[in-house]
Structures are given as C-alpha cells and as structure tokens.
C-alpha cells in the first residue's frame, strides 16, 4: 500500500466515472459482501433495545451500554488494527475479526442478564474494529477504479448492511430477543467462508512487496497531522448525534421490534443511496468541506425537530429516516477526505480517524439514556444537536488546516 507524499493530495469523486464502480476484482466483492454481513450484525440490535429493557428488567441507560461498551472497545482497538493487519495480512485480520464476532454473538444468544450482554458487546466491538478498519483499507488497495470509487463502494456496503440488518433483527426479535444474536453468528460464519474462499492471502501491494510491520504508535503519530486530527474530532462530535438516533430513538418511537426494523430499513436505504449517488454530486457542486458543513447543519435541524416533537410518533419516525440521507452524504464526504488528508498509510489514517470518531459514539448512547432519566425524553435530542453544531464550529475554527482539500479539488 503506497503512502502519499503531500497532504494536499485529495481524491475527487467524479460522478462521470461511475461506470467503473462495478468493474472490480473478485477479492473486492468478497470484502464488499463480508462488509454487508458485518454491518448487518450491527443493525440487528437496534429494534430489540426496548424489548431487552423490558425482558431483562433494565433501564434505558443500562440497555444503551450495549452500544457504549461496543463503541468504547472498538475505539481503543482501532489503534492496534494497523499493527495487527501488518503482521497477519488483511485477509488474516478480517477473518480474525469476523471469527471473534461470530463467537461473541453466539454466547450473546445464551446470556441471562444485561451485564453479561454488555461485556460480550465489548468483545463484539473488538472483532468489529479489526474488521472495519481493515476492510476499508483493503477495498481501497484492491480496487481497480481508484480511491474515490472504492470508498463509495465501501459506504454502499455499510448502508446496505445497516438497512437490512434492523429489518432482520426486528423480524427475529419478534420471535425472541435471543434470536438476533444467534442470527449474527450465522451471518458471520457465512462471511468467514466467503472471505476464506475468494480473498487472496496477499491482499495489499505493501504486503506483497514485503513492507515492514506497522508500529503500535503509528496512529498517534498520524494524529500529529492537523488535518487528520480535525476531521477525526469533527466525526467524534457528529457521532454523538448519530448514536443518539441509533441507541436512543427506538425508546421514544413506541413501536414493536418489526416496526422499528422497518423504520431503520428506510434510514439505512437512504444512507446507502445518498452515499453512492448524491455525495459525489454535492462534492462536485460545492466541494467536500462546504458539503460536509451543509449536511451537519441539516443534521442539527433534524435533531432539533426530534427534540421538539419527541411525543409525536410520526414526526420522530420521519426525522429518523431523513437522517439516513444526511448521514449517508456526510459519511462518504468525510471518509473520502480522511483517506487523503495526510501523508500516512491509509490503514493508519483509518485507524487514527476511527479511534477518534468512535469515542463520540461511545459517549452518546449512555449519555442519552441518562439525560432522559434525569430530565425528560426531549433533552437527549437537543444535546445531540448541540454536539453536531459544535462540529460545524470546529470546522470553521480549523478551516485553514483542511481547506487544501477543496482547493485541490478546484485545481483538479
């Protein structure tokens, strides 16, 4: 995997070259399929959160710890993914990650209390960290159509997985709260088999060239690049809003598991569609940084609407689904910027960025649950909106460190 020599070298998403998006090596499609499976596993849990609270006699804040432990462990584990991947190779790391998720999910289906599930979700976060950071770097490295299209393909896999997962989780959750965990284990086994058969052992140019292993300190060194640090902090702030919707919104919608599955199906569908088709247009028209700010401001307004109309079911449902379109655009825009914002290896950049953004994802679920218990159901959405608004301010305050992204696109 070749490193870049200039922090101003950024990749422009060109919708005119969309035909090359599907002309990929078989190994890319293997990782693509496994990514869908992995993110289906993440979304399976959402529709059963209220059911878990009821059947395991847990409070909303205790149930949201399922997301907090998952994201906290994943954030820390992201720091070692580059080092592990450089030693095991991309294929070995992906298989290890999926294997851990399969085992932990299987035990989750047998758990007897909320605290056992919280602990197992931490192990799930470890497996997902190994998979997510490596999958993005692997798709980018293996793709035959450039970084921009590879990222679009990856974000499409994320959107498809997140959209289908809740529907499957809601369907299985209507049978038993244990069924989704068992379903995840089965999905992970399927992904493990696909990767084992279709992905070559030497999966990156750096491995085949015998490149030296990556230091455990590499992600911290990468954060010395101000552009990468700024984008990581921005992602951490807006992820507070993101996971307020993921972990807390199910408690205020008042729907059964299958109904929640349909809501998050619509959310994930818009996330997938906008990440592939709309984000490139926004970048072409306005540039990456300006487009990100537009999407973040829309997200603030969306969360404020949910905070005002928390007691009106159809408004919350519509706002959650609409948030999918906003986040689909923003995820593609910020991921594209991160991959070429600094002169470090993409796997290292991904690990450093993911560490920062999942810190925000770890804080949000438990904080939202506690705020609702201490104050009222409206407050978590307003606080989430405040964090997202803070991310816009942070971009404005640090614009000089990331404006090279838009300037490079304009020159291109």
């Amino acid at each position: 995997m070749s490193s870049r020599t200039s922090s101003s070298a950024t990749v422009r998403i060109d919708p005119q070259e969309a035909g090359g998006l599907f002309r990929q090596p078989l190994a890319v499609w293997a990782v693509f399929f496994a990514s869908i499976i992995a993110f289906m596993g993440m979304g399976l849990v959402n529709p059963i959160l209220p059911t878990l609270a009821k059947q395991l006699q847990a409070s909303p804040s205790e149930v949201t710890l399922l997301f907090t432990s998952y994201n906290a462990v994943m954030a820390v584990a992201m720091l070692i993914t580059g080092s592990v991947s450089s030693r095991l190779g991309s294929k070995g790391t992906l298989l290890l990650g999926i294997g851990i998720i399969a085992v932990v999910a299987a035990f989750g289906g047998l758990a007897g209390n909320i605290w056992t599930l919280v602990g197992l979700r931490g192990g799930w976060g470890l497996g997902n960290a190994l998979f997510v950071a490596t999958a993005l770097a692997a798709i980018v490295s293996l793709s035959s159509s450039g970084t921009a299209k590879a990222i679009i393909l990856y974000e499409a896999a994320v959107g498809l997985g997140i959209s289908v997962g809740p529907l499957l989780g809601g369907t299985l959750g209507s049978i038993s709260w244990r069924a989704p965990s068992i379903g995840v284990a089965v999905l992970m086994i399927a992904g493990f088999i696909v990767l084992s058969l279709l992905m070559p052992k030497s999966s990156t140019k750096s491995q085949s060239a015998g490149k030296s292993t990556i230091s455990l300190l590499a992600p911290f060194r990468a954060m010395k690049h101000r552009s990468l640090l700024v984008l990581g902090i921005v992602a951490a702030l807006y992820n507070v809003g993101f996971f307020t919707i993921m972990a807390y919104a199910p408690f205020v919608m008042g729907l059964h598991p299958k109904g929640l599955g349909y809501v998050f199906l619509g959310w994930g569908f818009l996330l997938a569609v906008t990440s592939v088709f709309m984000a490139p247009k926004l970048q072409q028209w306005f540039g990456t940084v300006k487009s990100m700010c537009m999407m973040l401001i829309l997200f603030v307004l969306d969360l404020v609407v949910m905070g005002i109309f928390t007691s009106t079911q159809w408004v919350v449902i519509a706002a959650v689904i609409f948030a999918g379109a906003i986040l689909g655009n923003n995820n593609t825009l910020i991921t594209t910027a991160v991959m070429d914002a600094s002169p470090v290896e993409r796997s290292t950049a991904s690990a450093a960025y993911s560490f920062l953004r999942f810190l925000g994802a770890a804080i949000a679920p438990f904080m939202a649950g506690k705020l609702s218990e201490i104050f009222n159901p409206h407050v978590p959405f307003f606080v989430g909106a405040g964090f997202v608004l803070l991310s816009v301010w942070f971009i404005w305050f640090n614009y000089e460190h990331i404006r090279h992204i838009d300037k490079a696109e304009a020159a291109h």
Side-chain angles (χ1 to χ4, degrees):
M1 185 183 297
S2 61
S3 62
R4 292 162 305 286
T5 58
S6 171
S7 64
S8 63
T10 192
V11 174
R12 182 175 183 272
I13 304 174
D14 189 352
Q16 300 301 322
E17 299 175 2
L21 180 65
F22 302 104
R23 298 171 185 169
Q24 304 289 352
L26 191 59
V28 171
W29 292 115
V31 180
F32 176 80
F33 174 77
S35 298
I36 294 175
I37 297 297
F39 282 95
M40 282 178 67
M42 180 188 293
L44 278 169
V45 179
N46 293 53
I48 62 169
L49 293 178
T51 302
L52 284 172
K54 182 178 180 180
Q55 296 194 4
L56 296 180
Q57 298 181 340
S59 67
S61 61
E62 289 174 341
V63 173
T64 55
L65 283 173
L66 293 172
F67 280 94
T68 294
S69 64
Y70 172 86
N71 288 318
V73 172
M74 185 154 57
V76 176
M78 283 293 179
L79 297 173
I80 67 169
T81 54
S83 180
V84 172
S85 179
S86 68
R87 289 163 172 79
L88 299 182
S90 291
K91 181 175 182 177
T93 308
L94 291 171
L95 291 176
L96 176 62
I98 283 185
I100 291 173
I101 296 172
V103 172
V104 170
F107 278 108
L110 304 174
N113 59 72
I114 189 64
W115 300 111
T116 301
L117 280 175
V118 169
L120 289 171
R121 281 284 286 182
W124 195 328
L126 171 62
N128 215 55
L130 292 170
F131 181 88
V132 169
T134 310
L136 175 57
I139 286 183
V140 169
S141 299
L142 291 166
S143 174
S144 60
S145 57
T147 301
K149 291 189 180 68
I151 291 173
I152 291 172
L153 198 64
Y154 174 79
E155 293 294 343
V158 172
L160 287 171
I162 290 178
S163 63
V164 177
L167 181 61
L168 182 59
T171 302
L172 294 175
S174 62
I175 300 172
S176 168
W177 68 264
R178 299 180 187 274
S181 292
I182 297 172
V184 168
V186 173
L187 289 173
M188 292 303 116
I189 293 172
F192 189 96
I193 293 172
V194 169
L195 282 179
S196 298
L197 296 177
L198 298 181
M199 190 174 181
K201 183 176 181 181
S202 180
S203 57
T204 68
K205 295 177 183 178
S206 62
Q207 289 168 358
S208 60
K211 189 168 184 176
S212 60
T213 55
I214 298 174
S215 168
L216 287 171
L217 297 177
F220 292 103
R221 296 192 186 104
M223 282 186 268
K224 292 180 180 179
H225 296 281
R226 193 64 177 268
S227 56
L228 182 60
L229 180 62
V230 168
L231 292 172
I233 293 174
V234 167
L237 292 171
Y238 94 77
N239 260 342
V240 174
F242 186 112
F243 277 88
T244 296
I245 289 179
M246 288 281 285
Y248 176 68
F251 289 100
V252 301
M253 282 190 273
L255 297 172
H256 55 76
K258 191 175 290 188
L260 288 171
Y262 283 119
V263 171
F264 281 100
L265 171 65
W267 176 82
F269 175 76
L270 287 182
L271 189 149
V273 170
T274 54
S275 67
V276 175
F277 297 107
M278 189 173 176
K281 291 287 188 181
L282 290 173
Q283 189 181 41
Q284 181 188 31
W285 295 335
F286 306 107
T288 300
V289 178
K290 291 179 181 177
S291 297
M292 281 185 348
C293 289
M294 289 167 55
M295 291 300 104
L296 290 171
I297 291 171
L298 279 177
F299 192 27
V300 170
L301 296 175
D302 194 56
L303 286 165
V304 168
V305 168
M306 281 189 269
I308 295 173
F309 298 100
T310 306
S311 302
T312 308
Q313 185 185 56
W314 73 267
V315 174
V316 176
I317 291 172
V320 167
I321 294 173
F322 180 67
I326 299 170
L327 296 168
N329 283 310
N330 201 59
N331 286 351
T332 295
L333 292 165
I334 197 168
T335 303
T336 304
V338 165
M339 285 294 97
D340 289 276
S342 60
V344 298
E345 294 287 347
R346 289 192 177 102
S347 59
T348 303
S350 177
Y353 162 70
S354 296
F355 165 70
L356 292 170
R357 71 182 175 123
F358 281 113
L359 286 180
I363 294 169
F366 182 72
M367 181 177 69
K370 271 299 178 185
L371 287 172
S372 69
E373 292 170 9
I374 296 172
F375 298 103
N376 58 65
H378 304 262
V379 172
F381 295 114
F382 290 126
V383 172
F387 273 91
V388 179
L389 185 60
L390 186 60
S391 74
V392 180
W393 174 85
F394 195 75
I395 291 174
W396 176 80
F397 188 74
N398 292 277
Y399 182 66
E400 64 180 287
H401 300 291
I402 57 175
R403 62 176 162 186
H404 66 268
I405 297 171
D406 283 342
K407 283 187 176 181
E409 290 167 4
H412 179 82

